[in-house]
Amino acid sequence: MAKKGTDHTKAKRKPTPRAKQKARGGKKRKILSVLLKSAIALGLLGFLFFILVFLGILGPVPSSYQLKQISTPVASEVYSADGKILGRYYVENRSNASFEEISPNIINALIATEDARFYEHRGIDEIALIRVLVKSILLQNRSAGGGSTLSQQIAKNLFPREELGPLSMPVNKLREAIIAYRLERIYSKQEILAMYLNTVPFSENIYGIEVAAERFFSKKPASLDVHEAAVLIGLLKANNYYNPRKYPDHAVNRRNVVIDQMAKYEYITAEQAETYKAQPLGLNYRVISYDQGPAPYFLELLKPQLLEWCKNNTNEKGENYNLYTDGLKIKTTIDYNLQYYAQQSVKEYMKNLQKVFDDHWKSRDIFNENPEIIKSAVRRIEQEKGNRNVDVDKILAGYNREITTSLFTWDSLKEVKTTRLDSLKHYLKLLNAGFIAVEPQSGDLKAWVGGIDFRFFKYDHVTAPRQTGSTFKPFVYLAALENGIAPDRYFENKFTVYEDYDNWSPRNSHDEYGGYYTMKGALAKSINTVSVDVLLETGTSKVIEVAKNLGISADLPNTPSLALGVASVSLKEIAEAYAAIVNDGRRVKTHYLLEIADNKGAVLQTFAYPELKNSGISPENCRAVIHMLEAVVDDGTGRGIRTVYNVPGDFAGKTGTTQNNSDGWFIGVTPNLVTACWVGADDPRVHFRTTTYGQGAYMALPIVGKFFHKTYRDSKFASLKYSSFKQPEPELLAMLDEPQFREILEADRKFFDLATIFGKKENSGLEERRAQQPEEKKTRPLWSAIKSIFKKKK
């Protein structure tokens, strides 16, 4: 019987320790189950994700076969005859270097800075990835560095990343890892290093260590020292911020970080690191591209011929060669040193000449004095756009709006706010130049400078026709010799009005007349009146025939003014014609392409040129004209070659100045090299107002003088310096060496003396005698006159 007050409800029992343990185990199993299921799900998702990337569903992944065929666009390179690079044609300014052609300093700096465990991994550095994961993501340390290996960076450089929104980063990273792994299975470590250094962008739109070393240090990659290598590897972190030309302080700081990394990984000692860090930056900056470098105008000249060759030739795949991507190696006849001296001479003198020109016009406005200059330029600009009928005044009104632009100046490129009209005036007032050097015996082109800066002035002044001025006169005198006129004959320097030619009256440049000149003397002093007399006696058609035989294809007017160079001929053709005279009349056709090879150096084609053809002109007469041209340099209008530039040895030349001083010419001739230079503005109406500055001896001769001064100081050209012209036969040479000038002819002197004795006017008897004397007797030299006197007595 239950006790009174007893609670009949059953009391709760406390869970035993075993029960508690069992309960906890159940919860753990549930958590583990969830985690396991989640892991399996994530694994399946990861596997699915990997499969999607691996199969290229989320973006193309190159196969192993495709990776074996890796071909990056490689610039085709143009070389001088002595194997130095002149310029490139490219989509990407890149040249490949083999591992053996790269300095170990570059390799060590790269590995120490970008991939310290490069030789230990197989394309993916798991340790580096974990380090980056922990430091960057968990500890938020931005200085943790990157986890990508060099192989992964190659993958990123060669195969652009896909844009997939939130999935972009994981997809691209996995894709690059797959590619990196495949690369490491296909290529050796050395090949991967070379591939990386050939594909990575450095700075200033250049790719690869070859071009980078050339650009910043003017060296081959194999020649780079430790501190130079560190500068270039430092660029890889941020190639604009660490550009040593733009930001030298940034570059030095980054260089020192790279050097410290090299010391850390024991590529150099700590002491060596301090030594290298104390070195100056030591840039030797040089741009060789398509529009900058030693020969940009020459590359433009060469390009059509190369494009035609590519069109007609195929590679091993049966595809046409591509000039811009196939890395062709093109050898030319250009001599690198001569090309460098030519370009340097043009730039040095033209900078000074432009200052003289600007000072010459500073108190006057050339465009106010001749508004048609601006209007012509605007018409030309519009016609280039395809607009034929234009309202120039209406268009000019829009030229007054302010613009921001970069202007070429001889000091630097200047970013300025200006108007389009002022910009146009600025460029119209700039003088330009052309220069060419040809080897006369072979026709090999040795130097070609088409203008002052190809980036801004595409027009090539070597091929552009301009009035030749007195540089045409040697063809007149050569034709005269060919027509039988003796070189010792004298011609009177007198002002003449030619009624048969619309009362045309040629004048001498200094308006001085009187006395008698041989052809040699008239050529030396550039006497216009004598040149016209010689042309008229020779016959204009004969002069044209000789000029054509020498290679001049331009239209030549059948008028007496041809003697004064009114014809427009290109600098190239004038140089070739003079070269033919040096070459005893054998016609010279300039050529420049020698060989084309593929990107591995295997020769695809060599180019041979036919022997120079004889023009039919007498070699003796050609030598006589060269002898005349030597007098131009020794004591004529070209004497600055000797007196100012101290050019020694055999040298012939001719100055040329055109109407209104629009064109200045000088042809400089040695036995084995013919040079020609032209200077002027693109618009002939822009010129010096006085012959003092506008003559060829002032505008063009100094460039040739500078060129030969530099060339002859180079021991490479000692043979050029001491070469000699072929001399005419002794009898012809004796005739050429008659006095170049006489105030009065000896044969006329006795009549002058008799007139004086009998009190007649000085010239009366002389003029009467001249009227009666046959033309060929008027200008006989002394020895001829003496012979005739004895004949009469006999």
Side-chain angles (χ1 to χ4, degrees):
M1 184 176 178
K3 291 183 178 179
K4 188 178 178 180
T6 302
D7 188 356
H8 295 279
T9 305
K10 194 171 184 180
K12 291 183 177 180
R13 297 171 57 185
K14 289 182 180 181
T16 63
R18 184 176 180 182
K20 288 181 179 179
Q21 187 177 359
K22 187 177 180 181
R24 282 196 298 270
K27 288 180 180 178
K28 285 182 179 179
R29 281 193 295 273
K30 287 181 180 179
I31 293 171
L32 288 172
S33 176
V34 171
L35 289 175
L36 181 60
K37 290 177 180 177
S38 298
I40 293 171
L42 287 173
L44 289 172
L45 287 173
F47 180 73
L48 178 62
F49 178 70
F50 176 81
I51 292 298
L52 291 174
V53 174
F54 185 83
L55 295 177
I57 295 171
L58 295 179
V61 177
S63 65
S64 296
Y65 174 79
Q66 289 171 320
L67 291 175
K68 288 178 183 178
Q69 312 300 319
I70 284 178
S71 177
T72 54
V74 178
S76 291
E77 296 177 328
V78 178
Y79 290 90
S80 62
D82 44 343
K84 297 179 181 178
I85 189 163
L86 297 172
R88 297 183 175 94
Y89 305 99
Y90 56 85
V91 173
E92 293 178 352
N93 192 357
R94 181 203 321 276
S95 293
N96 286 344
S98 67
F99 182 83
E100 292 73 20
E101 294 171 329
I102 301 172
S103 167
N105 297 325
I106 283 284
I107 301 298
N108 296 338
L110 176 65
I111 293 173
T113 309
E114 296 292 326
D115 193 353
R117 299 185 64 253
F118 175 73
Y119 288 110
E120 299 169 30
H121 63 68
R122 294 284 297 176
I124 305 165
D125 190 349
E126 297 84 357
I127 295 174
L129 284 173
I130 293 169
R131 184 194 71 237
V132 172
L133 178 67
V134 173
K135 288 187 175 182
S136 298
I137 300 176
L138 301 181
L139 301 180
Q140 298 295 303
N141 183 354
R142 293 187 178 182
S143 63
S148 294
T149 63
L150 292 179
S151 300
Q152 287 173 287
Q153 292 183 51
I154 291 174
K156 184 174 70 174
N157 291 335
L158 293 181
F159 305 100
R161 290 181 167 181
E162 299 289 324
E163 180 55 50
L164 299 168
L167 292 176
S168 295
M169 183 59 71
V171 168
N172 287 316
K173 283 292 185 182
L174 178 57
R175 180 168 166 267
E176 288 161 11
I178 294 169
I179 296 171
Y181 180 74
R182 288 177 177 174
L183 284 171
E184 295 264 356
R185 293 180 64 189
I186 296 169
Y187 297 101
S188 69
K189 288 289 186 179
Q190 289 186 353
E191 289 172 329
I192 287 173
L193 286 167
M195 187 185 299
Y196 178 87
L197 287 167
N198 284 326
T199 56
V200 68
F202 276 87
S203 190
E204 300 184 358
N205 198 32
I206 58 176
Y207 296 80
I209 191 65
E210 174 97 10
V211 183
E214 172 190 272
R215 174 71 56 92
F216 294 108
F217 295 105
S218 297
K219 287 185 173 184
K220 289 288 186 181
S223 304
L224 292 170
D225 207 342
V226 168
H227 61 287
E228 296 166 334
V231 169
L232 298 183
I233 296 303
L235 277 167
L236 301 178
K237 184 175 178 66
N239 56 35
N240 184 57
Y241 184 78
Y242 294 116
N243 184 318
R245 179 180 65 87
K246 293 181 178 179
Y247 310 110
D249 292 340
H250 298 174
V252 168
N253 292 336
R254 180 61 184 165
R255 176 199 71 177
N256 292 345
V257 169
V258 175
I259 291 173
D260 286 338
Q261 286 293 104
M262 295 179 73
K264 175 182 175 181
Y265 291 103
E266 300 181 351
Y267 291 109
I268 56 176
T269 66
E271 291 76 14
Q272 288 175 319
E274 293 306 314
T275 301
Y276 288 124
K277 285 159 66 175
Q279 293 286 332
L281 198 54
L283 290 188
N284 187 4
Y285 188 79
R286 180 176 62 151
V287 178
I288 298 180
S289 59
Y290 174 70
D291 58 1
Q292 287 181 274
Y297 288 94
F298 174 66
L299 260 70
E300 182 69 7
L301 170 77
L302 184 60
K303 184 171 70 173
Q305 188 173 349
L306 295 176
L307 289 172
E308 184 66 21
W309 184 90
C310 289
K311 183 179 176 182
N312 296 319
N313 289 271
T314 56
N315 58 26
E316 64 277 4
K317 297 178 183 178
E319 301 169 347
N320 288 107
Y321 283 101
N322 188 315
L323 179 62
Y324 302 99
T325 61
D326 284 351
L328 298 174
K329 298 185 184 300
I330 301 130
K331 186 178 180 181
T332 69
T333 62
I334 294 287
D335 183 284
Y336 185 87
N337 288 24
L338 294 181
Q339 178 66 28
Y340 176 74
Y341 297 147
Q343 189 176 65
Q344 197 177 39
S345 299
V346 167
K347 291 191 173 184
E348 285 175 2
Y349 188 70
M350 291 304 294
K351 179 179 181 179
N352 295 331
L353 186 65
Q354 188 63 50
K355 187 177 185 304
V356 173
F357 186 78
D358 292 341
D359 290 342
H360 182 72
W361 279 100
K362 66 181 178 182
S363 60
R364 295 170 61 173
D365 189 333
I366 190 172
F367 302 111
N368 280 342
E369 294 183 17
N370 194 343
E372 190 58 33
I373 296 173
I374 292 289
K375 292 182 178 180
S376 297
V378 171
R379 287 191 199 98
R380 186 171 61 252
I381 291 169
E382 293 303 316
Q383 286 172 0
E384 288 172 357
K385 295 177 181 177
N387 302 327
R388 296 296 173 191
N389 299 316
V390 295
D391 186 336
V392 174
D393 293 327
K394 184 178 179 181
I395 292 172
L396 274 173
Y399 273 46
N400 288 314
R401 289 195 294 269
E402 190 177 79
I403 60 171
T404 300
T405 187
S406 294
L407 290 182
F408 167 85
T409 72
W410 277 109
D411 295 322
S412 63
L413 296 184
K414 290 187 177 178
E415 193 79 15
V416 297
K417 286 187 176 180
T418 183
T419 65
R420 193 174 179 188
L421 180 60
D422 286 339
S423 174
L424 180 60
K425 289 179 178 179
H426 170 79
Y427 284 109
L428 285 171
K429 282 187 70 175
L430 287 172
L431 298 178
N432 224 306
F435 181 96
I436 183 175
V438 180
E439 187 177 82
Q441 291 77 19
S442 63
D444 286 357
L445 180 68
K446 293 300 178 183
W448 181 291
V449 181
I452 55 176
D453 194 315
F454 185 74
R455 293 173 299 171
F456 296 89
F457 309 96
K458 306 296 185 187
Y459 195 61
D460 194 322
H461 296 89
V462 177
T463 55
R466 295 292 292 237
Q467 283 194 337
T468 59
S470 294
T471 59
F472 194 85
K473 289 177 181 176
F475 311 139
V476 175
Y477 294 124
L478 180 56
L481 294 173
E482 287 286 291
N483 226 28
I485 297 177
D488 60 349
R489 177 171 162 187
Y490 286 87
F491 293 85
E492 186 176 5
N493 172 26
K494 64 179 179 179
F495 179 78
T496 304
V497 177
Y498 292 93
E499 295 179 358
D500 291 343
Y501 298 97
D502 297 327
N503 293 320
W504 177 64
S505 53
R507 293 179 176 274
N508 293 325
S509 60
H510 297 291
D511 233 16
E512 295 175 355
Y513 307 92
Y516 297 82
Y517 288 88
T518 62
M519 287 188 282
K520 178 180 175 180
L523 190 60
K525 303 299 182 184
S526 206
I527 306 300
N528 291 337
T529 53
V530 173
S531 297
V532 174
D533 279 350
V534 172
L535 177 136
L536 288 173
E537 184 166 337
T538 303
T540 311
S541 58
K542 179 64 178 179
V543 173
I544 292 173
E545 177 190 335
V546 166
K548 295 289 186 183
N549 287 341
L550 291 173
I552 291 177
S553 63
D555 289 335
L556 302 176
N558 193 1
T559 62
S561 59
L562 178 64
L564 308 185
V566 296
S568 292
V569 185
S570 73
L571 191 64
K572 175 177 175 286
E573 285 198 351
I574 288 290
E576 289 172 337
Y578 273 73
I581 296 175
V582 176
N583 205 27
D584 281 349
R586 287 189 295 275
R587 186 169 174 174
V588 175
K589 189 68 176 174
T590 303
H591 56 260
Y592 34 81
L593 183 57
L594 292 178
E595 181 182 285
I596 298 177
D598 65 16
N599 57 10
K600 294 182 178 63
V603 176
L604 301 172
Q605 185 174 344
T606 55
F607 296 84
Y609 299 94
E611 290 187 7
L612 304 180
K613 294 181 179 179
N614 200 313
S615 63
I617 297 172
S618 162
E620 282 298 306
N621 288 336
C622 288
R623 295 174 191 179
V625 170
I626 292 297
H627 189 79
M628 294 179 189
L629 289 169
E630 287 184 277
V632 175
V633 171
D634 290 336
D635 56 11
T637 57
R639 59 187 175 276
I641 288 291
R642 304 289 197 199
T643 60
V644 178
Y645 298 99
N646 301 312
V647 177
D650 281 15
F651 200 103
K654 187 67 192 85
T655 55
T657 310
T658 63
Q659 190 83 6
N660 299 321
N661 309 303
S662 294
D663 307 89
W665 294 71
F666 186 74
I667 316 301
V669 178
T670 69
N672 296 314
L673 193 68
V674 172
T675 63
C677 181
W678 168 91
V679 174
D682 283 345
D683 190 316
R685 291 166 293 188
V686 178
H687 52 74
F688 282 107
R689 299 190 306 276
T690 66
T691 305
T692 302
Y693 297 126
Q695 62 182 305
Y698 188 85
M699 289 213 293
L701 181 149
I703 293 174
V704 176
K706 281 176 171 287
F707 170 79
F708 277 100
H709 182 72
K710 295 174 191 295
T711 298
Y712 283 178
R713 291 171 66 186
D714 187 336
S715 59
K716 176 183 176 181
F717 302 107
S719 60
L720 185 67
K721 182 178 179 179
Y722 296 113
S723 57
S724 301
F725 286 119
K726 296 175 184 176
Q727 291 296 310
E729 292 295 329
E731 183 179 351
L732 181 57
L733 188 60
M735 298 171 75
L736 286 164
D737 285 341
E738 282 286 312
Q740 298 175 30
F741 173 76
R742 293 185 186 276
E743 289 188 17
I744 186 169
L745 296 181
E746 292 296 329
D748 290 336
R749 187 174 294 280
K750 63 179 181 178
F751 293 97
F752 177 79
D753 291 342
L754 286 171
T756 303
I757 291 169
F758 287 100
K760 294 183 180 180
K761 291 182 180 180
E762 286 187 358
N763 293 330
S764 59
L766 187 59
E767 292 298 331
E768 184 179 346
R769 177 186 171 276
R770 282 181 190 153
Q772 297 172 354
Q773 184 185 21
E775 182 64 28
E776 65 272 13
K777 292 183 180 180
K778 290 182 188 177
T779 55
R780 283 185 182 179
L782 177 60
W783 67 271
S784 298
I786 292 172
K787 284 197 296 183
S788 66
I789 290 170
F790 279 104
K791 284 180 181 177
K792 288 177 183 176
K793 285 185 177 181
K794 185 175 180 180

